[in-house]
Amino acid sequence: MSLYQHARDGNAERLRDAMGSDSAAVRKRAAEFLGEVADHGDQPSIDVLLRAATGDEDAQVRGGAVDALDEIGEAALEQLLSELTGTKGSEAEWVTARKFARALQADRPELRMAAANALGRLDDGSGLQHLVEALDDEDARVRLRACQACGTFADPRAIPGLTERLDDEPRVRRAAANALGNIGTDRALSPLLDLLDDADESLRRIAAGALGKANNPEPVEPLARALGDESAVVRNAAVYSIIELLSNVPTQQSHAVRDRVVSELKQADDETVVEPLVEILTDGQQSRQRRNAAWILGRVAERESTVAVEALADALADDDAQTAQFAATSLKSLGGPIVEDRLLDRLGTEHPEDARAKAVFVLGQVGGQETLNRLEEFTDDESPAVRKRVFSAVSKLRAGGP
């Protein structure tokens, strides 16, 4: 049975047995799973991880065991610090940022790793400066964990040190990029612009996903270029960030940014753009993002895009009135037989009254003879709002158009 299966079954005993494997890769993976499965009361698992963290011959296994103890909780991490420093009982009071910070100066890198993890868990900003200094540690494993800890604080004071780590080895670079994204200020995000062209797909994805937090239009063009990335996850992250960017930029810049976004998105592959926009409109939790997605779809989707039309038609019933209005406007912009068919399907009384009224309004702008015939069936509709829209739409269609 695989380690994954043991972890899924919560079988810590089998995972502990795997820590005796001759394979360093197996021991490292077993340690990682133990960190997920064990809890603070599972002393046998903690003991196995303590032995691995302090005595395994492989540095990656020792690092994995340190992280697993950190995952289990502060008490397990304190036991590790006690083991590594030779202190016992009340002497091992590594519960304050000051004492963890002192451990960052220890000779053993595993102790410095544990201290960096611990400082990241503590809600005490006094440890930040020590973590920033640890970004220059000689051991890449310590630098990695210092980057991760700085990311939890999300403090702008870490920006210079994290930016320097973008030239480090791959795992450290990714941790530094994530931390800068967590800080999220324009100053922190600026170094991520160059990462959109990096050879490392993970770094491109991290950068594309973080740049939507910017409060200026500078990332629009680089993110639009990222829509042509060979990686689907990078392209998807870029679309999400473009939508988020529209929500974040100052009002006085929003019109210029919108025009620029539409221009760039129109040049991208339709499927690349439309699918994530539809996902945002359908599943997004923030009203501003759903509004922007609805607005953009009407300007960049092809009128034959069934998935876009379906999403916009469903959005006519959105709880947010502006999202529903933008959806109606976009359906009017798209027009065509697919729009007519989908809106005619939504005229029944099983749909919300306001959504039906909006569907009738759009049909009055884009419909043909078939639509006119169908709308005439609703002149006696039970809803005054729908009847009003029907009379207006029928009048326009009989006259030959809007």
Side-chain angles (χ1 to χ4, degrees), residues 263-326:
S263 175
E264 298 287 355
L265 293 185
K266 279 185 175 179
Q267 298 178 42
D269 173 72
D270 187 67
E271 183 177 340
T272 295
V273 174
V274 168
E275 287 189 5
L277 285 175
V278 166
E279 185 175 340
I280 293 168
L281 178 58
T282 304
D283 301 324
Q285 300 301 308
Q286 296 184 24
S287 295
R288 287 192 302 173
Q289 292 185 357
R290 295 202 311 280
R291 292 171 196 164
N292 284 323
W295 184 85
I296 291 176
L297 274 172
R299 288 151 180 80
V300 302
E302 300 290 339
R303 62 171 52 192
E304 295 81 13
S305 176
T306 302
V307 65
V309 173
E310 288 277 8
L312 288 167
D314 287 343
L316 294 177
D318 197 280
D319 291 337
D320 178 66
Q322 277 191 277
T323 300
Q325 187 58 51
F326 283 150

Side-chain angles (χ1 to χ4, degrees), residues 154-175:
D155 191 307
R157 288 176 294 173
I159 292 173
L162 289 169
T163 301
E164 290 183 8
R165 297 279 65 79
L166 294 177
D167 292 324
D168 210 308
E169 65 172 56
R171 291 190 309 156
V172 179
R173 296 180 72 205
R174 290 191 284 270

Side-chain angles (χ1 to χ4, degrees), residues 65-369:
V66 169
D67 288 340
L69 290 164
D70 180 43
E71 185 74 18
I72 292 171
E74 186 176 303
L77 204 55
E78 287 181 31
Q79 289 187 53
L80 172 61
L81 291 166
S82 174
E83 190 79 20
L84 288 171
T85 57
T87 57
K88 300 295 181 183
S90 60
E91 295 180 3
E93 296 177 349
W94 302 89
V95 293
T96 64
R98 181 169 57 86
K99 290 188 176 181
F100 283 129
R102 189 180 306 155
L104 278 175
Q105 306 299 319
D107 291 335
R108 295 191 62 166
E110 286 76 30
L111 180 52
R112 302 200 301 276
M113 292 163 57
N117 281 353
L119 284 170
R121 295 170 67 93
L122 293 175
D123 186 19
D124 189 332
S126 65
L128 178 67
Q129 185 55 44
H130 300 285
L131 286 169
V132 170
E133 293 170 1
L135 292 172
D136 291 323
D137 194 279
E138 63 183 11
D139 192 303
R141 296 174 299 163
V142 179
R143 298 197 300 275
L144 168 67
R145 287 152 182 85
C147 286
Q148 293 168 337
C150 284
T152 65
F153 281 103
D155 191 307
R157 288 176 294 173
I159 292 173
L162 289 169
T163 301
E164 290 183 8
R165 297 279 65 79
L166 294 177
D167 292 324
D168 210 308
E169 65 172 56
R171 291 190 309 156
V172 179
R173 296 180 72 205
R174 290 191 284 270
N178 270 318
L180 288 167
N182 286 343
I183 295 171
T185 64
D186 286 348
R187 181 172 167 235
L189 297 175
S190 182
L192 301 186
L193 289 169
D194 291 338
L195 297 184
L196 290 174
D197 297 318
D198 198 90
D200 187 326
E201 176 187 343
S202 296
L203 276 171
R204 300 200 305 276
R205 176 189 56 78
I206 291 169
L211 285 168
K213 299 176 182 178
N215 288 300
N216 68 83
E218 184 182 5
V220 171
E221 188 172 343
L223 284 170
R225 289 200 307 270
L227 296 175
D229 196 281
E230 62 185 18
S231 166
V233 294
V234 175
R235 298 195 300 269
N236 192 281
V239 175
Y240 267 84
S241 277
I242 287 173
I243 293 296
E244 189 177 4
L245 194 63
L246 285 176
S247 302
N248 290 340
V249 293
T251 304
Q252 62 269 25
Q253 297 179 337
S254 62
H255 292 298
V257 173
R258 284 177 183 274
D259 291 343
R260 196 167 168 186
V261 164
V262 170
S263 175
E264 298 287 355
L265 293 185
K266 279 185 175 179
Q267 298 178 42
D269 173 72
D270 187 67
E271 183 177 340
T272 295
V273 174
V274 168
E275 287 189 5
L277 285 175
V278 166
E279 185 175 340
I280 293 168
L281 178 58
T282 304
D283 301 324
Q285 300 301 308
Q286 296 184 24
S287 295
R288 287 192 302 173
Q289 292 185 357
R290 295 202 311 280
R291 292 171 196 164
N292 284 323
W295 184 85
I296 291 176
L297 274 172
R299 288 151 180 80
V300 302
E302 300 290 339
R303 62 171 52 192
E304 295 81 13
S305 176
T306 302
V307 65
V309 173
E310 288 277 8
L312 288 167
D314 287 343
L316 294 177
D318 197 280
D319 291 337
D320 178 66
Q322 277 191 277
T323 300
Q325 187 58 51
F326 283 150
T329 302
S330 286
L331 287 166
K332 176 184 173 184
S333 297
L334 291 175
I338 294 178
V339 170
E340 287 189 65
D341 289 344
R342 297 304 182 271
L343 293 183
L344 288 170
D345 289 342
R346 284 165 172 77
L347 295 183
T349 54
E350 70 273 17
H351 298 285
E353 178 185 32
D354 193 49
R356 295 173 65 217
K358 285 187 172 63
V360 172
F361 167 75
V362 177
L363 285 167
Q365 307 294 315
V366 303
Q369 185 60 46

